[in-house]
């Protein structure tokens, strides 16, 4: 049976165990973009740990002005406000820890193995990859946006969209390589349970970050593309090479055939063979 009902403020508050981090949850049946709502709240002085959750977005965003599509009441659409004591160059650590927390939560709740794809995707490996075809499917995406106060990071909003109970027949309308938990495991998952598990994992990992641990080793260990021949599309053009490693700030180190090691801080990668 598919979950078709919307969430509610009460249901979400009941599912979250009392914690020090999650001080305020804002549930909206429908909104433009949860990231925009969270950024607006940040500008009004909302505390770290404010969480915005929606059942539907009318203007969901990916990176670089791309759209994020999600059929109403089938996905996890949520944004978290952080006020981290980090230099701006380390903001990607928040993307890393939230991606890891989401991957952990999906694995725990749905028993589905999840990988990460640099820099901001949660992916599932396809069961029967065709030669030359991309052998992963996108389950979720993360969008981190920051606000600066001079040279300092004033806030960071990490938004995540996870395709939870999207029926397989609807997936092609989202993106050619989209997948959902329902499509992968054949059963729906309670979104509020996934949300609560995700937030508890975020809190644990954020505590570790605040204690000085970088999530970068765990993140690198989950990256599906490391060691693989890839094509990277960057603002400077397309580069083909081997995705050698990532550094502590989340940049991808790409070795091209001419022997140059490129450090990429943003872009998209696809497997090139
Ligand atoms: C992302 O961007 O993957 C970041 C997505 C973040 C979405 C969340 S939802 C809550 C919060 N509020 C927002 O407004 N945004 C965040 P990017 O790597 O640029 O990928 C965007 C691309 O993914 C699109 O161009 C499509 O090709 C594809 N896409 C769109 N919707 C998808 C979906 N539901 N599942 C899989 N792929 C999708």
């Amino acid at each position: 049976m598919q979950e078709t009902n919307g969430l509610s403020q009460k249901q979400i508050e009941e599912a979250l165990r009392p914690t020090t981090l999650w001080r305020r949850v804002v549930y909206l049946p429908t909104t433009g973009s949860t990231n925009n709502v969270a950024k607006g709240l940040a500008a009004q002085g909302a505390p770290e740990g404010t969480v915005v959750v929606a059942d539907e977005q009318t203007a969901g965003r990916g990176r670089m002005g791309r759209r994020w599509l999600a059929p109403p009441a089938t996905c996890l659409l949520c944004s978290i406000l952080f006020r981290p004591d980090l230099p701006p160059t380390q903001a990607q650590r928040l993307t890393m820890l939230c991606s890891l927390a989401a991957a952990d939560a999906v694995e725990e709740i749905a028993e589905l193995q999840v990988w990460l794809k640099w820099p901001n995707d949660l992916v599932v490996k396809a069961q029967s990859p065709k030669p030359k075809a991309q052998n992963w499917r996108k389950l979720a995406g993360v969008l981190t946006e920051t606000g600066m106060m001079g040279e300092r990071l004033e806030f960071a909003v990490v938004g995540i969209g996870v395709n939870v109970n999207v029926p397989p027949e609807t997936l092609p309308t989202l993106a050619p390589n989209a997948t959902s938990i329902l499509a992968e495991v054949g059963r729906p998952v309670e979104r509020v349970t996934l949300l609560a598990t995700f937030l508890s994992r975020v809190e644990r990992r954020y505590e570790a970050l605040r204690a000085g641990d970088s999530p970068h080793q765990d993140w690198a260990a989950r990256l599906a593309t490391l060691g693989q021949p890839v094509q990277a599309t960057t603002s400077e053009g397309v580069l083909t090479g081997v995705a050698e490693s990532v550094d502590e700030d989340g940049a991808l180190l790409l070795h091209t055939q001419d022997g140059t090691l490129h450090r990429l801080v943003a872009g998209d990668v696809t497997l090139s063979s």
Side-chain angles (χ1 to χ4, degrees):
M1 204 185 70
Q2 278 167 32
E3 181 206 14
T4 49
N5 290 336
L7 301 168
S8 73
Q9 181 81 31
K10 186 165 170 274
Q11 189 191 15
I12 295 170
E13 282 173 359
E14 280 173 3
L16 298 186
R17 64 182 176 86
T19 68
T20 48
L21 189 56
W22 312 124
R23 296 201 190 102
R24 181 173 171 197
V25 178
V26 177
Y27 164 72
L28 300 164
T30 181
T31 190
S33 153
T34 55
N35 263 37
N36 290 356
V37 176
K39 286 198 290 181
L41 292 170
Q44 292 164 25
E48 166 157 276
T50 299
V51 180
V52 181
V53 180
D55 266 318
E56 180 181 22
Q57 292 185 132
T58 53
R61 289 185 290 111
R63 293 171 305 144
M64 296 170 276
R66 294 192 283 227
R67 292 179 69 194
W68 187 259
L69 302 171
T74 58
C75 295
L76 186 61
L77 303 169
C78 137
S79 298
I80 302 172
L81 171 62
F82 295 98
R83 295 191 181 277
D85 187 14
L86 288 176
T89 50
Q90 292 181 6
Q92 174 72 6
R93 291 184 185 187
L94 299 169
T95 312
M96 294 181 199
L97 77 84
C98 290
S99 305
L100 285 163
D104 290 344
V106 171
E107 287 192 352
E108 187 180 321
I109 302 299
E111 292 166 7
L112 171 64
Q113 193 174 17
V114 176
W115 298 82
L116 306 177
K117 189 169 79 65
W118 185 89
N120 66 318
D121 289 348
L122 271 72
V123 296
V124 171
K125 285 192 179 170
Q127 280 164 4
S128 52
K130 295 187 195 114
K132 293 272 172 198
Q134 286 180 338
N135 66 352
W136 49 265
R137 300 205 176 100
K138 184 159 171 171
L139 182 73
V142 178
L143 175 66
T144 300
E145 297 179 293
T146 54
M148 303 290 294
M149 175 85 87
E151 299 283 283
R152 215 172 51 79
L153 206 54
E154 191 197 356
F155 68 82
V157 166
V158 182
I160 184 159
V162 185
N163 302 328
V164 183
N165 297 326
V166 182
E169 60 276 15
T170 308
L171 291 167
T173 64
L174 306 181
N177 65 339
T179 193
S180 66
I181 294 176
L182 175 63
E184 295 295 327
V185 302
R187 63 181 167 84
V189 158
E190 264 202 353
R191 288 177 303 139
V192 73
T193 311
L194 186 65
L195 172 68
T197 307
F198 166 60
L199 291 177
S200 89
R201 297 303 188 110
V202 172
E203 182 166 21
R204 209 182 297 166
R205 288 187 178 272
Y206 190 54
E207 273 164 16
L209 181 78
R210 280 197 292 204
D213 289 351
S214 169
H216 123 273
Q217 302 274 17
D218 286 0
W219 184 68
R222 274 224 195 220
L223 284 173
T225 33
L226 286 196
Q228 307 274 341
V230 297
Q231 219 175 52
T233 308
T234 71
S235 54
E236 281 113 61
V238 178
L239 293 169
T240 305
V242 173
E244 207 160 87
S245 59
V246 281
D247 69 18
E248 285 216 343
D249 294 339
L252 180 69
L253 304 178
L254 182 82
H255 222 142
T256 46
Q257 266 181 345
D258 61 5
T260 314
L261 193 62
H262 299 261
R263 183 176 184 272
L264 309 180
V265 290
D268 291 295
V269 294
T270 51
L271 291 172
S272 61
S273 65

